[in-house]
PDB file of all heavy atoms in Angstrom:
ATOM      1  N   VAL J 107      -6.190  12.857 -10.820  1.00 95.00           N
ATOM      2  CA  VAL J 107      -6.308  13.319 -12.209  1.00 95.00           C
ATOM      3  C   VAL J 107      -6.520  14.832 -12.200  1.00 95.00           C
ATOM      4  O   VAL J 107      -7.285  15.354 -11.371  1.00 95.00           O
ATOM      5  CB  VAL J 107      -7.480  12.618 -12.921  1.00 95.00           C
ATOM      6  CG1 VAL J 107      -7.640  13.130 -14.351  1.00 95.00           C
ATOM      7  CG2 VAL J 107      -7.266  11.109 -12.920  1.00 95.00           C
ATOM      8  N   LEU J 108      -5.860  15.527 -13.109  1.00 94.00           N
ATOM      9  CA  LEU J 108      -5.898  16.986 -13.138  1.00 94.00           C
ATOM     10  C   LEU J 108      -7.327  17.519 -13.154  1.00 94.00           C
ATOM     11  O   LEU J 108      -7.669  18.437 -12.402  1.00 94.00           O
ATOM     12  CB  LEU J 108      -5.144  17.498 -14.372  1.00 94.00           C
ATOM     13  CG  LEU J 108      -5.108  19.016 -14.571  1.00 94.00           C
ATOM     14  CD1 LEU J 108      -4.330  19.681 -13.434  1.00 94.00           C
ATOM     15  CD2 LEU J 108      -4.486  19.367 -15.927  1.00 94.00           C
ATOM     16  N   GLU J 109      -8.179  16.950 -13.999  1.00 94.00           N
ATOM     17  CA  GLU J 109      -9.536  17.485 -14.176  1.00 94.00           C
ATOM     18  C   GLU J 109     -10.425  17.295 -12.948  1.00 94.00           C
ATOM     19  O   GLU J 109     -11.481  17.944 -12.841  1.00 94.00           O
ATOM     20  CB  GLU J 109     -10.203  16.819 -15.395  1.00 94.00           C
ATOM     21  CG  GLU J 109      -9.676  17.283 -16.736  1.00 94.00           C
ATOM     22  CD  GLU J 109      -8.373  16.607 -17.140  1.00 94.00           C
ATOM     23  OE1 GLU J 109      -7.880  15.734 -16.375  1.00 94.00           O
ATOM     24  OE2 GLU J 109      -7.837  16.930 -18.219  1.00 94.00           O
ATOM     25  N   THR J 110     -10.064  16.404 -12.039  1.00 96.00           N
ATOM     26  CA  THR J 110     -10.946  16.132 -10.895  1.00 96.00           C
ATOM     27  C   THR J 110     -10.330  16.569  -9.563  1.00 96.00           C
ATOM     28  O   THR J 110     -10.802  16.158  -8.499  1.00 96.00           O
ATOM     29  CB  THR J 110     -11.295  14.626 -10.837  1.00 96.00           C
ATOM     30  OG1 THR J 110     -10.081  13.853 -10.874  1.00 96.00           O
ATOM     31  CG2 THR J 110     -12.172  14.236 -12.010  1.00 96.00           C
ATOM     32  N   VAL J 111      -9.318  17.409  -9.605  1.00 96.00           N
ATOM     33  CA  VAL J 111      -8.672  17.878  -8.383  1.00 96.00           C
ATOM     34  C   VAL J 111      -9.664  18.589  -7.466  1.00 96.00           C
ATOM     35  O   VAL J 111      -9.720  18.328  -6.253  1.00 96.00           O
ATOM     36  CB  VAL J 111      -7.481  18.795  -8.715  1.00 96.00           C
ATOM     37  CG1 VAL J 111      -7.088  19.654  -7.506  1.00 96.00           C
ATOM     38  CG2 VAL J 111      -6.284  17.972  -9.178  1.00 96.00           C
ATOM     39  N   ASP J 112     -10.466  19.505  -8.002  1.00 97.00           N
ATOM     40  CA  ASP J 112     -11.412  20.247  -7.163  1.00 97.00           C
ATOM     41  C   ASP J 112     -12.453  19.320  -6.545  1.00 97.00           C
ATOM     42  O   ASP J 112     -12.831  19.496  -5.377  1.00 97.00           O
ATOM     43  CB  ASP J 112     -12.094  21.348  -7.977  1.00 97.00           C
ATOM     44  CG  ASP J 112     -11.155  22.501  -8.296  1.00 97.00           C
ATOM     45  OD1 ASP J 112     -10.128  22.647  -7.593  1.00 97.00           O
ATOM     46  OD2 ASP J 112     -11.433  23.242  -9.253  1.00 97.00           O
ATOM     47  N   ARG J 113     -12.919  18.352  -7.302  1.00 97.00           N
ATOM     48  CA  ARG J 113     -13.877  17.380  -6.753  1.00 97.00           C
ATOM     49  C   ARG J 113     -13.260  16.622  -5.591  1.00 97.00           C
ATOM     50  O   ARG J 113     -13.878  16.451  -4.527  1.00 97.00           O
ATOM     51  CB  ARG J 113     -14.298  16.390  -7.840  1.00 97.00           C
ATOM     52  CG  ARG J 113     -15.205  15.259  -7.343  1.00 97.00           C
ATOM     53  CD  ARG J 113     -15.128  14.028  -8.223  1.00 97.00           C
ATOM     54  NE  ARG J 113     -13.807  13.417  -8.203  1.00 97.00           N
ATOM     55  CZ  ARG J 113     -13.459  12.376  -8.960  1.00 97.00           C
ATOM     56  NH1 ARG J 113     -14.330  11.863  -9.815  1.00 97.00           N
ATOM     57  NH2 ARG J 113     -12.245  11.853  -8.880  1.00 97.00           N
ATOM     58  N   ASP J 114     -12.028  16.169  -5.774  1.00 98.00           N
ATOM     59  CA  ASP J 114     -11.368  15.381  -4.737  1.00 98.00           C
ATOM     60  C   ASP J 114     -11.107  16.223  -3.485  1.00 98.00           C
ATOM     61  O   ASP J 114     -11.299  15.751  -2.354  1.00 98.00           O
ATOM     62  CB  ASP J 114     -10.055  14.804  -5.268  1.00 98.00           C
ATOM     63  CG  ASP J 114     -10.273  13.870  -6.450  1.00 98.00           C
ATOM     64  OD1 ASP J 114     -11.429  13.466  -6.685  1.00 98.00           O
ATOM     65  OD2 ASP J 114      -9.286  13.555  -7.138  1.00 98.00           O
ATOM     66  N   LEU J 115     -10.684  17.465  -3.681  1.00 98.00           N
ATOM     67  CA  LEU J 115     -10.428  18.336  -2.535  1.00 98.00           C
ATOM     68  C   LEU J 115     -11.708  18.678  -1.782  1.00 98.00           C
ATOM     69  O   LEU J 115     -11.694  18.817  -0.550  1.00 98.00           O
ATOM     70  CB  LEU J 115      -9.734  19.623  -2.993  1.00 98.00           C
ATOM     71  CG  LEU J 115      -8.260  19.472  -3.406  1.00 98.00           C
ATOM     72  CD1 LEU J 115      -7.712  20.806  -3.873  1.00 98.00           C
ATOM     73  CD2 LEU J 115      -7.434  18.929  -2.239  1.00 98.00           C
ATOM     74  N   GLN J 116     -12.809  18.810  -2.492  1.00 98.00           N
ATOM     75  CA  GLN J 116     -14.078  19.057  -1.818  1.00 98.00           C
ATOM     76  C   GLN J 116     -14.447  17.890  -0.906  1.00 98.00           C
ATOM     77  O   GLN J 116     -14.879  18.088   0.240  1.00 98.00           O
ATOM     78  CB  GLN J 116     -15.195  19.294  -2.839  1.00 98.00           C
ATOM     79  CG  GLN J 116     -16.553  19.561  -2.182  1.00 98.00           C
ATOM     80  CD  GLN J 116     -17.650  19.841  -3.205  1.00 98.00           C
ATOM     81  OE1 GLN J 116     -17.384  20.068  -4.377  1.00 98.00           O
ATOM     82  NE2 GLN J 116     -18.887  19.813  -2.744  1.00 98.00           N
ATOM     83  N   LEU J 117     -14.264  16.680  -1.407  1.00 98.00           N
ATOM     84  CA  LEU J 117     -14.558  15.497  -0.596  1.00 98.00           C
ATOM     85  C   LEU J 117     -13.639  15.439   0.619  1.00 98.00           C
ATOM     86  O   LEU J 117     -14.089  15.166   1.742  1.00 98.00           O
ATOM     87  CB  LEU J 117     -14.393  14.229  -1.437  1.00 98.00           C
ATOM     88  CG  LEU J 117     -14.567  12.905  -0.687  1.00 98.00           C
ATOM     89  CD1 LEU J 117     -15.968  12.789  -0.110  1.00 98.00           C
ATOM     90  CD2 LEU J 117     -14.263  11.724  -1.611  1.00 98.00           C
ATOM     91  N   ILE J 118     -12.364  15.704   0.411  1.00 98.00           N
ATOM     92  CA  ILE J 118     -11.395  15.681   1.511  1.00 98.00           C
ATOM     93  C   ILE J 118     -11.763  16.711   2.578  1.00 98.00           C
ATOM     94  O   ILE J 118     -11.693  16.434   3.775  1.00 98.00           O
ATOM     95  CB  ILE J 118      -9.978  15.925   0.955  1.00 98.00           C
ATOM     96  CG1 ILE J 118      -9.526  14.689   0.153  1.00 98.00           C
ATOM     97  CG2 ILE J 118      -8.990  16.248   2.066  1.00 98.00           C
ATOM     98  CD1 ILE J 118      -8.300  14.926  -0.699  1.00 98.00           C
ATOM     99  N   THR J 119     -12.197  17.889   2.142  1.00 98.00           N
ATOM    100  CA  THR J 119     -12.621  18.933   3.083  1.00 98.00           C
ATOM    101  C   THR J 119     -13.883  18.511   3.826  1.00 98.00           C
ATOM    102  O   THR J 119     -13.983  18.672   5.049  1.00 98.00           O
ATOM    103  CB  THR J 119     -12.868  20.250   2.335  1.00 98.00           C
ATOM    104  OG1 THR J 119     -11.657  20.673   1.702  1.00 98.00           O
ATOM    105  CG2 THR J 119     -13.347  21.333   3.291  1.00 98.00           C
ATOM    106  N   GLU J 120     -14.857  17.967   3.095  1.00 98.00           N
ATOM    107  CA  GLU J 120     -16.107  17.543   3.718  1.00 98.00           C
ATOM    108  C   GLU J 120     -15.878  16.472   4.781  1.00 98.00           C
ATOM    109  O   GLU J 120     -16.561  16.447   5.810  1.00 98.00           O
ATOM    110  CB  GLU J 120     -17.060  17.016   2.645  1.00 98.00           C
ATOM    111  CG  GLU J 120     -17.617  18.089   1.727  1.00 98.00           C
ATOM    112  CD  GLU J 120     -18.409  17.523   0.554  1.00 98.00           C
ATOM    113  OE1 GLU J 120     -18.339  16.287   0.320  1.00 98.00           O
ATOM    114  OE2 GLU J 120     -19.088  18.314  -0.124  1.00 98.00           O
ATOM    115  N   LEU J 121     -14.913  15.594   4.536  1.00 97.00           N
ATOM    116  CA  LEU J 121     -14.640  14.509   5.471  1.00 97.00           C
ATOM    117  C   LEU J 121     -13.694  14.925   6.591  1.00 97.00           C
ATOM    118  O   LEU J 121     -13.390  14.119   7.480  1.00 97.00           O
ATOM    119  CB  LEU J 121     -14.061  13.305   4.718  1.00 97.00           C
ATOM    120  CG  LEU J 121     -14.992  12.653   3.686  1.00 97.00           C
ATOM    121  CD1 LEU J 121     -14.283  11.518   2.961  1.00 97.00           C
ATOM    122  CD2 LEU J 121     -16.270  12.132   4.359  1.00 97.00           C
ATOM    123  N   GLY J 122     -13.220  16.179   6.542  1.00 98.00           N
ATOM    124  CA  GLY J 122     -12.357  16.682   7.598  1.00 98.00           C
ATOM    125  C   GLY J 122     -10.969  16.068   7.599  1.00 98.00           C
ATOM    126  O   GLY J 122     -10.367  15.898   8.669  1.00 98.00           O
TER     127      GLY J 122
END
Side-chain angles (χ1 to χ4, degrees):
V107 178
L108 179 65
E109 287 81 2
T110 52
V111 161
D112 288 340
R113 175 204 65 185
D114 299 346
L115 287 178
Q116 180 178 347
L117 176 62
I118 289 167
T119 299
E120 289 172 348
L121 296 177

